[in-house]
């Protein structure tokens, strides 16, 4: 090969690298090549040091949920043609990806009660930030109001972007059931109110009046959720009149993965379609007149619009979206409704059991599969203590909002999905009694 | 005599030719695939769910009134549906995928197995840190590899993809400037040849983009660069090796210039795979650089993600890194999640939780498998393969620039002049030859660009077969053999698709006719 | 009524105090199939050289610049449902906006039809 190239060494090909920067030996401080067995042994040892959700009574939520994903989902997404393909820029040889994205968009739109949905974002938090940027673009206003029920991480992610592009964020104090508080801050400068259902405390609220009030004021209503499975049981946010609906889709098709990769969902009213970030698959025909799909409305995107693009997003969550769409195809509305009802039943059962414990005060009134309780003392040390006993009891609110009030430091977020058993609930209740 | 194949013809010399129109809509192995909405049923589900009796409901008045209107499939239906769809996709597991700048390399399956260990895949991001020590250890070790390979001070692991990593780097620069009281520095210098994500990212952080010209040999025009420096410059975003597949020989001068002008150097690390183990970006004066784990460290692209874009930071930017990150303490590993104490200057947070753990496992698995010696060879083999393609095609195609390339070979459409064949036609004809096309019409600075990146994955034999096909196509184009280009591809699962119709009358979801 | 042209291939046809603005057939042909046009809202004031509309093909989005200082009277609403009109009738039905001309003397700085034709040939 070197002869064809016309050189005597591979190093000669690196001739443009300034001499002082060339490394002639492998970099110090790193191991040399290991066999497959050795790598497997090393990483398996690391994995074994973690307590996985399926091995203990498990009640953590706050934006990531343990659900059972049918075996066929993970099997299908590991097919080479899905796993090792690229973004479908060549539609003639990417119809598999494109049709599945089109089906995904349709499923998401229906599930969320919206007119259009995109082909995925990184996760719920980044989808939320993008929705705020989009609302400011649509309304040409710069103020956004976050309810106290928004996941604090979602607000933080938005905040990291906002200052630099002149977006003024009003974030209301943590509040279990106060989505409508945003309206007190609504004015003619407001680009959007950002409200949540289910919110980070699990509370579900009818957002219709909030949406209407925002729109009457020339603002958009952005609806955020962290548990997409809820919409198997509750009214979708689109049906409440919300303009942009965003949230986390991990619960359908995707494992916990310690926080990622996940799949952000992004849906909105059709009139805002051209302001959406991210990829869109659209239907068309090929030369023979057969139906086919392509990536479309690409002029919104960075590779064409560059600094005027609606977002810089490029590679997003393709395979996670595929897992979502396969799982949802398997469920159908029949399966999803039932799965959602089982989640709700388990959550109610856990709620009733914990509420009966002295010192545990339930805070959330209406919820899907997650709720907040106030403990008589800070929740974080209690969760740590229960972890030592082999029970993952939930997420202390202070973990995701370290600057919260002392009162909120006592709040524990408890999620119960279909994976929770009677024994798990009993174990949690007994252990909790022991430490209070 | 005993006849056991009554009248069955066994030779193949029948009539060849005419395409058979089938009655089913399928074509042999290529099965017709309706949309799930067209044959799934609302009364079907492919998932068994245990009955749990519901005592009471706490949904208030919010029980879903509207029908969800989602069809269900049985498990065999679903498996078939997606297997049939999959067969319409090209993939690196199927053949060479020379998509320049995208780096489609083999994805070792060990990495998949490791990422699926329940100790990694089935842990919650907000479990007590005492219960996820192995996960934090893995993140810490990955960070060690990334900082050591780049020579940089620290790394923000959490960005979710390359473009998100760019955002992380540019937000770090913004925070560092603000901390110096230099809010007025808003201008960012970006070469014309840059990925679209660069200017889009800069704009998303509130910077103004100022384009820098390119020299005739495909590098940053240093004189133009100098002329654009000033007191309002925040920094520059430069890809190295650049999008023309060339190393910027004056990269250190560029770094020194931007530093003495008071700005920072963001390096787009999309092409780090060409120099990993050979060059440490820190030695070149880089302040921030994202690394696409799927490009350099072989996490699968998945048809459009998930990616992962850890961003390495210099001493000057490290204090501004976003939360969370992992630290090693006397009794194990801890997560810094709050913007207090040592993270008081953090610019904020890129994502909920900790980033793409599933990708971290795969990337570390790849790094450990290759080691520091193997990673160096990855870069060498990638560069060798690209130069072999460049050398083997330069007499029939037209290289955009003289000299060696790095990990990808760039051609322009000069060789197609007068043939009536465009870069697009050429690319589509490659599909019929069994290849995914190269990147085309990018970088924008080269007319009718064709950017070919073979990666280290390919053997000489595979490259020779590919080269033979490319040569044959180039010769065909020049000899006016247009039929193979007109309306190509002819042999793909779909014919050319009408993108105009898709954009004029957008249909973004299925609706009953 | 007179028609003037810019080097960026916009045309402006004045009729009393108002004028229609669009892109030339040459520009439309260069763009290829137009798939979307973002026309300006009535009442917007636009300075000469600033974007008055955006015209999109499948793979490109191009700003259309105001040939003169003006105030928008009406955007061509027909184009949202039929962007292909820009291709079929760039210099008539495919107009983008009717504007009120703020400073008529600016029109003198633009090319007339003959000068634009000569300009095209020089490209």
């Amino acid at each position: 090969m070197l002869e064809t190239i016309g050189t005597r060494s591979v190093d000669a090909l690196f001739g443009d690298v300034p001499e002082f920067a060339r490394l002639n030996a492998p970099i110090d401080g790193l191991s040399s090549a290991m066999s497959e067995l050795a790598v497997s042994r090393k990483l398996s040892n690391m994995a074994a040091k973690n307590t996985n959700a399926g091995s203990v009574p498990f009640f953590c939520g706050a934006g990531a949920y343990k659900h059972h994903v049918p075996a066929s989902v993970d099997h299908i997404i590991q097919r080479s043609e899905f796993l090792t393909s690229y973004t479908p820029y060549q539609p003639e040889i990417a119809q598999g990806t494109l049709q599945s994205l089109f089906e995904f968009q349709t499923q998401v739109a229906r599930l969320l009660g919206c007119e259009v949905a995109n082909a995925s974002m990184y996760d719920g938090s980044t989808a939320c930030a993008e929705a705020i940027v989009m609302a400011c673009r649509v309304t040409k206003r710069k103020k956004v109001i976050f309810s106290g029920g928004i996941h604090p991480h979602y607000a933080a992610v938005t905040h990291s972007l906002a200052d630099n592009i002149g977006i003024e964020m009003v974030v209301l104090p943590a509040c279990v059931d106060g989505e409508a508080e945003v309206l007190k801050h609504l004015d003619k400068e407001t680009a959007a109110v950002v409200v949540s259902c289910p919110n980070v405390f699990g509370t579900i609220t009818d957002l219709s009046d909030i949406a209407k009030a925002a729109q009457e004021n020339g603002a958009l209503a952005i609806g955020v959720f962290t548990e997409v499975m809820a919409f198997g049981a509750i009214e979708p946010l689109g049906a409440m009149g919300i303009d942009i609906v965003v949230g986390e889709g991990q619960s359908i098709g995707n494992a916990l993965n310690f926080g990622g990769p996940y799949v952000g969902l992004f849906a909105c009213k059709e009139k805002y379609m051209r302001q959406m970030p991210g990829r869109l698959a659209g239907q068309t025909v090929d030369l023979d007149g057969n139906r086919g799909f392509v990536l479309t409305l690409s002029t919104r995107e960075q590779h064409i619009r560059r600094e005027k693009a609606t977002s810089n997003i490029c590679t997003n969550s393709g395979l996670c979206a595929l897992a979502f769409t396969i799982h949802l195809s398997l469920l159908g509305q029949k399966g999803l409704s039932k799965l959602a009802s089982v989640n709700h039943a388990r959550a109610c059962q856990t709620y009733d059991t914990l509420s009966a414990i002295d010192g545990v005060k339930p805070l959330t009134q209406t919820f899907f599969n997650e709720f907040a309780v106030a403990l008589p003392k800070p929740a974080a040390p209690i969760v740590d203590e229960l972890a030592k006993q082999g029970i993952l009891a939930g997420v202390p609110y202070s973990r995701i909002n370290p600057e919260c009030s002392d009162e909120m430091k006592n709040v524990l977020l408890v999620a119960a999905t279909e994976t929770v058993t009677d024994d798990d609930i009993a174990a949690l209740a007994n252990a909790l009694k022991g430490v209070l | 005599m005993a006849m056991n194949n009554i009248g069955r013809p066994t030779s193949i010399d029948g009539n060849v030719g005419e395409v058979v129109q089938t009655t089913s809509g399928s074509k042999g192995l290529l099965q017709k695939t309706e949309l799930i909405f067209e044959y799934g049923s609302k009364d079907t589900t492919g998932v068994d769910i245990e009955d749990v009796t519901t005592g009471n409901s706490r949904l208030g008045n919010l029980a879903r009134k509207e029908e969800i209107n989602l069809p269900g499939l049985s498990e065999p239906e679903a498996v078939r549906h997606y297997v049939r769809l999959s067969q319409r996709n090209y993939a690196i597991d199927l053949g060479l995928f020379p998509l320049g700048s995208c780096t489609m390399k083999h994805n070792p399956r060990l990495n998949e197995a490791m990422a699926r260990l329940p100790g990694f895949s089935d842990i919650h991001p907000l479990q007590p840190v005492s219960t996820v020590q192995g996960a934090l250890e893995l993140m810490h070790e990955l960070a060690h590899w990334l900082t050591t390979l780049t020579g940089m001070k620290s790394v923000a692991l959490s960005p979710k993809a390359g473009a998100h990593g760019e955002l992380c780097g540019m937000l770090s620069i913004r925070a560092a400037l603000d901390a110096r009281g230099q809010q007025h520095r808003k201008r960012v210098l970006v070469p014309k040849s840059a990925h679209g994500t660069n200017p889009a990212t800069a704009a998303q952080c509130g910077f103004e983009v100022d384009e820098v010209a390119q020299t005739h040999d495909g590098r940053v025009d240093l004189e133009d660069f100098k002329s654009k420096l000033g007191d309002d410059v925040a920094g520059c975003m430069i890809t190295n090796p650049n999008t023309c597949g060339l190393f910027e020989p004056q990269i250190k001068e560029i770094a020194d210039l931007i530093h003495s002008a008071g700005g920072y150097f963001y390096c787009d690390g999309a092409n780090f795979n060409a120099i990993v183990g050979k060059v440490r970006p820190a030695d070149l004066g880089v302040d921030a650089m994202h690394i696409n784990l799927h490009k350099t460290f072989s996490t699968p692209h998945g048809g459009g993600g998930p990616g992962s874009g850890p961003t390495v930071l210099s001493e000057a930017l490290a204090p501004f890194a976003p939360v969370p990150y992992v630290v090693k303490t006397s009794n194990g590993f801890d997560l810094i999640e709050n913007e207090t104490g040592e993270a008081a200057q953090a610019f904020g947070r890129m994502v909920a939780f900790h980033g793409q753990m599933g990708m971290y496992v795969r990337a570390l698995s790849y790094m450990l498998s290759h080691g520091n010696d193997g990673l160096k060879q990855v870069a060498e083999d990638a560069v060798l393969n690209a130069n072999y393609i460049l050398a083997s095609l330069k007499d029939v195609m037209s290289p955009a620039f003289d000299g060696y390339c790095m990990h990808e070979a760039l051609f322009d459409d000069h060789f197609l002049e007068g043939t009536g064949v465009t870069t697009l036609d050429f690319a589509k004809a490659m599909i019929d030859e069994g290849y995914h096309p190269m990147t085309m019409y990018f970088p924008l600075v080269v007319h009718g660009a064709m950017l070919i990146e073979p990666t280290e994955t390919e053997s000489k034999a595979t490259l020779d077969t590919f080269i033979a096909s490319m040569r044959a196509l180039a010769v065909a184009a020049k000899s006016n053999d247009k039929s193979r280009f007109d309306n190509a591809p002819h042999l793909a699962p779909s014919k050319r698709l009408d993108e105009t119709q898709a954009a004029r009358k957008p249909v973004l979801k299925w609706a009953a006719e | 009524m007179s028609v003037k042209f810019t080097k960026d291939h916009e045309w402006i046809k004045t009729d009393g105090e108002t004028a229609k603005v669009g892109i030339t057939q040459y520009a439309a042909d260069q763009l290829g199939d137009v798939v979307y046009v973002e026309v300006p809202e009535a009442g917007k004031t636009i300075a000469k050289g600033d974007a008055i509309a955006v015209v999109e093909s499948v793979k490109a989005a191009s700003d259309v610049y105001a040939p003169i200082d003006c105030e928008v009277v009406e955007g061509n609403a027909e184009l949202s449902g039929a962007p292909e009109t820009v291709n079929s009738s760039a210099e008539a039905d495919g107009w983008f906006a009717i504007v009120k001309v703020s400073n008529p003397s600016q029109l003198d700085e633009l090319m007339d039809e003959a000068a634009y034709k000569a300009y095209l040939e020089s490209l």
Side-chain angles (χ1 to χ4, degrees):
Chain A
M1 289 170 82
L2 287 171
E3 198 181 312
T4 306
I5 296 167
T7 186
R8 287 172 56 193
S9 75
V10 172
D11 276 336
L13 304 174
F14 287 82
D16 281 338
V17 177
E19 192 129 2
F20 75 88
R22 291 183 206 165
L23 303 173
N24 295 315
I27 295 175
D28 281 343
L30 301 172
S31 55
S32 55
M34 289 165 72
S35 70
E36 180 160 330
L37 176 59
V39 172
S40 175
R41 197 178 281 141
K42 180 179 165 107
L43 294 179
S44 298
N45 282 340
M46 282 188 197
K49 293 176 192 168
N50 303 321
T51 305
N52 72 291
S55 66
V56 291
F58 181 85
F59 298 88
C60 299
Y65 301 87
K66 163 82 178 165
H67 289 287
H68 172 72
V69 178
S72 52
V73 174
D74 194 48
H75 180 81
I76 295 168
I77 67 165
Q78 286 193 75
R79 276 193 69 90
S80 292
E81 301 90 333
F82 288 129
L83 184 74
T84 77
S85 62
Y86 199 72
T87 302
Y89 289 138
Q90 299 290 339
E92 299 89 350
I93 46 173
Q95 284 301 304
T97 297
L98 285 160
Q99 182 172 328
S100 65
L101 287 178
F102 185 78
E103 292 177 339
F104 170 82
Q105 289 171 188
T106 309
Q107 286 175 323
V108 171
R110 290 183 177 190
L111 185 58
L112 303 182
C114 292
E115 289 168 346
V116 287
N118 79 3
S120 85
M121 307 297 284
Y122 305 131
D123 73 348
S125 66
T126 53
C128 174
E130 293 273 14
I132 276 90
V133 175
M134 173 173 151
C136 291
R137 196 163 54 232
V138 168
T139 58
K140 302 191 175 70
R141 297 179 182 181
K142 291 283 189 183
K143 179 179 160 186
V144 290
I145 306 159
F146 279 64
S147 79
I150 296 286
H151 194 296
H153 284 178
Y154 287 32
V157 170
T158 309
H159 196 260
S160 298
L161 264 185
D163 277 356
N164 302 310
I165 43 180
I167 295 176
E168 181 201 343
M169 278 176 70
V170 178
V171 182
L172 301 182
C175 184
V176 172
D177 185 9
E179 298 305 308
E181 293 292 307
V182 293
L183 294 180
K184 292 184 182 156
H185 301 262
L186 185 64
D187 59 21
K188 290 291 175 197
E189 269 75 57
T190 305
V193 296
V194 189
V195 287
S196 198
C197 173
N199 72 12
V200 73
F201 302 101
T203 303
I204 55 174
T205 315
D206 187 346
L207 304 172
S208 308
D209 292 343
I210 300 172
K212 208 168 147 213
Q215 288 148 8
E216 280 168 6
N217 224 46
L220 301 193
I222 295 174
V224 181
F225 58 88
T226 56
E227 171 51 302
V228 68
M229 192 142 319
F231 302 110
I234 71 169
E235 273 291 273
L237 304 191
M240 297 178 189
I242 296 286
D243 296 284
I244 308 175
V245 180
V246 287
E248 181 54 66
Q250 170 265 329
S251 283
I252 299 183
N254 289 276
L256 284 168
N257 284 324
F258 201 46
Y262 287 175
V263 51
L265 306 181
F266 196 113
C268 66
K269 291 182 175 167
E270 191 166 1
K271 62 181 168 181
Y272 304 126
M273 172 177 73
R274 288 175 190 275
Q275 295 296 334
M276 287 174 99
R279 312 266 191 225
L280 289 167
Q283 183 179 311
T284 187
V285 292
D286 75 0
L287 266 179
D288 292 344
N290 296 316
R291 176 170 65 192
F293 305 91
V294 294
L295 289 179
T296 193
L297 304 187
S298 306
T299 48
R300 300 164 298 112
E301 295 185 68
Q302 46 77 24
H303 60 279
I304 293 179
R305 207 58 154 260
R306 299 177 79 84
E307 68 266 27
K308 289 181 183 166
T310 55
S311 166
N312 73 338
I313 195 167
C314 182
T315 290
N316 42 70
S317 294
L319 203 68
C320 302
L322 179 69
F324 179 103
T325 198
I326 297 167
H327 190 185
L328 200 49
S329 301
L330 280 162
L331 285 168
Q333 75 173 37
K334 185 179 176 193
L336 182 65
S337 299
K338 181 158 184 202
L339 186 53
S341 77
V342 173
N343 272 257
H344 188 55
R346 285 303 189 191
C348 288
Q349 190 187 349
T350 310
Y351 183 90
D352 291 342
T353 309
L354 297 188
S355 300
I357 299 173
D358 273 350
V360 176
K361 183 182 157 203
L363 299 176
T364 313
Q365 303 303 317
T366 53
F367 57 87
F368 169 60
N369 69 357
E370 185 169 25
F371 55 88
V373 294
L375 304 178
K377 46 191 177 179
I382 291 177
V383 167
D384 288 343
E385 180 55 36
L386 293 187
K388 283 185 199 149
Q389 300 178 25
I391 292 167
L392 295 174
V395 177
Y397 180 71
S398 60
R399 175 86 189 261
I400 51 176
N401 190 358
E403 276 141 44
C404 68
S405 66
D406 285 348
E407 194 188 343
M408 295 305 293
K409 287 199 165 72
N410 292 0
V411 171
L412 177 67
L413 307 177
V414 180
T417 71
E418 78 282 1
T419 61
V420 164
T421 64
D422 293 345
D423 289 350
D424 292 340
I425 297 169
L428 172 64
N430 285 333
L432 196 55
K433 278 180 207 159
V435 295
L436 287 182
Chain B
M1 84 189 222
M3 289 279 288
N4 63 1
N5 59 344
I6 305 157
R8 189 160 69 95
T10 50
S11 66
I12 56 165
D13 53 8
N15 284 332
V16 188
E18 276 188 45
V19 179
V20 177
Q21 291 301 326
T22 61
T23 54
S24 64
S26 296
K27 292 177 190 168
L29 287 182
L30 208 55
Q31 301 279 324
K32 184 179 183 187
T33 313
E34 301 289 342
L35 294 167
I36 55 171
F37 306 96
E38 292 165 329
Y39 71 97
S41 154
K42 285 189 285 188
D43 303 319
T44 302
T45 180
V47 186
D48 291 328
I49 299 161
E50 293 167 26
D51 282 312
V52 175
T53 45
T54 315
N56 46 7
S57 162
R58 287 197 171 77
L59 296 178
N61 57 355
L62 276 185
R64 186 159 181 146
K65 296 184 266 293
E66 195 181 308
E67 199 176 37
I68 311 173
N69 200 15
L70 289 174
L73 304 176
S74 67
E75 180 173 318
E77 281 176 329
V79 169
R80 266 188 197 154
H81 182 77
Y82 292 101
V83 167
R84 288 172 177 195
L85 282 183
S86 75
Q87 294 188 323
R88 286 151 205 271
N89 272 3
Y90 195 86
I92 179 71
D93 282 353
L94 188 65
L96 189 144
F97 207 128
L99 200 58
S101 202
C102 300
T103 315
M104 291 298 281
K105 59 167 74 174
H106 175 63
N107 308 128
R109 291 313 194 271
L110 170 65
N111 308 353
E112 295 303 309
M114 293 298 100
R116 284 170 170 80
L117 291 170
F120 294 132
S121 66
D122 187 35
I123 51 174
H124 189 282
L126 301 173
Q127 285 181 212
V129 292
S130 63
T131 65
V132 290
Q133 285 294 303
L136 300 185
E137 181 184 353
L138 183 135
M139 289 166 71
H140 193 262
E141 179 149 357
L142 178 71
H144 172 70
W145 277 82
L146 293 173
T147 51
T148 306
L149 287 169
T150 56
M152 303 287 274
K153 168 82 175 163
S154 72
V155 60
L157 289 179
S158 64
K160 292 259 180 186
H164 206 222
E166 290 179 27
L167 193 62
C168 177
M170 294 310 284
L171 288 172
S172 303
I173 289 174
R174 182 72 268 165
L177 291 168
D178 290 353
R180 280 178 8 203
Q182 300 197 318
Q183 283 81 359
H184 66 281
R185 289 186 180 265
K186 290 236 170 210
R187 204 152 48 86
V188 174
L189 308 183
V190 184
K192 271 185 187 162
S193 57
H195 295 111
T197 49
N198 290 180
T201 299
Q204 210 162 12
C205 303
F207 291 114
E208 291 149 22
V209 176
D210 200 355
E211 273 195 354
V212 179
Q214 180 169 313
T215 59
H216 61 87
D217 63 351
R219 271 80 172 195
V220 173
D221 184 331
L222 210 57
E223 290 312 309
D224 192 50
F225 186 83
K226 278 183 201 166
S227 74
K228 290 190 163 130
L229 293 169
D231 181 44
D232 62 334
V233 166
C236 60
M237 297 182 83
I238 293 182
T239 310
N240 188 41
N242 68 25
T243 59
C244 299
L246 304 170
F247 195 91
E248 295 282 354
Q250 291 176 301
I251 196 72
K252 187 67 170 64
E253 285 82 346
I254 291 172
D256 292 345
L257 281 167
I258 199 78
H259 288 149
S260 52
Y264 294 99
F265 176 9
Y266 185 86
C267 181
D268 181 327
N271 296 335
F272 185 55
N273 57 305
I275 56 170
V276 60
K278 300 282 289 181
V279 180
R280 280 183 306 221
D283 296 338
L284 305 173
V286 169
D287 289 301
M289 182 180 92
H290 79 263
I291 298 166
N292 305 78
L293 292 186
H294 72 85
K295 294 183 186 180
T296 303
F297 302 111
S298 86
T299 67
H301 196 268
S308 181
T311 303
V312 288
L313 300 168
S314 65
E315 193 101 33
L317 296 182
F320 306 99
V323 292
Y325 53 87
V326 177
V327 291
K328 192 169 182 184
T329 67
S330 52
N331 48 2
F333 296 91
D334 201 4
L335 263 173
I336 304 296
E337 294 181 289
N338 309 337
E339 293 170 55
T340 52
E342 70 164 85
Q345 285 187 287
F347 74 72
R349 169 180 278 280
M350 292 301 295
V351 289
F353 316 133
H354 324 303
Q356 309 284 63
M357 183 66 181
M359 302 294 119
Y360 303 159
V361 180
R362 291 171 174 89
L364 186 62
S365 172
Y366 180 85
M367 290 170 176
L368 293 172
S369 300
H370 285 75
N372 56 354
D373 44 346
L375 289 175
K376 180 168 170 282
Q377 195 188 338
V378 162
E380 289 170 350
D381 289 354
V383 171
L384 177 68
N385 280 354
N387 276 286
Y388 184 65
I389 286 179
L390 180 64
S392 305
L393 293 177
K394 67 180 173 192
D395 59 324
V396 290
M397 291 171 64
S398 39
F401 303 106
D402 291 336
Y404 301 133
C405 61
M406 294 297 285
H407 61 300
E408 50 197 355
L410 178 60
F411 298 88
D412 60 25
D413 61 359
H414 190 69
F415 75 101
L416 293 174
E417 234 167 61
T419 62
V421 175
T422 63
T423 293
L424 180 76
D425 299 328
F426 197 87
K428 297 295 186 190
M430 284 170 69
I431 294 176
D432 285 335
E433 298 292 330
Y435 294 105
H436 192 285
M438 66 266 143
T439 291
M440 52 181 173
Y441 301 106
F442 179 85
L444 307 176
V445 292
V446 168
H447 199 271
M450 305 182 196
L451 187 60
I452 300 176
E453 178 175 11
T455 81
E456 72 280 6
T457 295
E458 307 306 335
S459 66
K460 179 175 180 296
T462 312
L463 294 178
D464 284 335
T465 315
F466 173 69
I467 288 163
S469 289
M470 292 294 277
R471 292 186 69 88
L473 286 178
V475 169
K478 287 178 197 179
S479 57
N480 218 9
D481 174 9
K482 281 204 66 190
S483 58
R484 68 175 72 238
F485 298 102
D486 288 341
N487 295 328
H490 304 281
L491 304 173
S494 276
K495 292 286 178 64
R496 262 192 224 191
L497 289 130
D498 188 345
E499 296 186 68
T500 301
Q501 181 186 321
R504 274 187 182 158
K505 307 264 187 287
V507 178
L508 305 181
K509 62 172 186 180
W510 184 82
E513 307 247 319
Chain C
M1 221 187 315
S2 74
V3 192
K4 295 286 182 119
F5 298 85
T6 71
K7 287 194 170 173
D8 295 314
H9 310 287
E10 291 97 8
W11 55 261
I12 177 164
K13 200 178 286 183
T14 46
D15 183 8
E17 280 189 357
T18 62
K20 269 186 185 168
V21 177
I23 60 168
T24 65
Q25 193 64 51
Y26 171 83
D29 293 346
Q30 290 290 306
L31 281 171
D33 294 336
V34 171
V35 297
Y36 182 67
V37 182
E38 192 182 312
V39 296
E41 288 162 25
K44 198 175 168 191
T45 8
I46 300 167
K48 173 178 176 168
D50 287 352
I52 188 169
V54 182
V55 57
E56 295 183 3
S57 61
V58 171
K59 302 283 183 199
S62 315
D63 285 335
V64 177
Y65 305 112
I68 38 106
D69 297 343
C70 59
E71 186 189 326
V72 178
V73 177
E74 183 191 347
N76 187 351
E78 299 290 311
L79 293 184
S80 65
E84 56 274 17
T85 311
V86 177
N87 291 113
S88 59
S89 177
E91 298 184 21
D93 295 344
W95 58 275
F96 291 174
I98 297 176
V99 300
K100 201 153 87 189
V101 181
S102 312
N103 183 357
S105 69
Q106 285 179 334
L107 290 165
D108 301 337
E109 297 158 24
L110 304 176
M111 290 178 277
D112 62 16
E113 190 159 4
Y116 180 67
K117 269 192 180 151
Y119 169 68
L120 283 186
E121 269 159 37
S122 75
L123 294 179

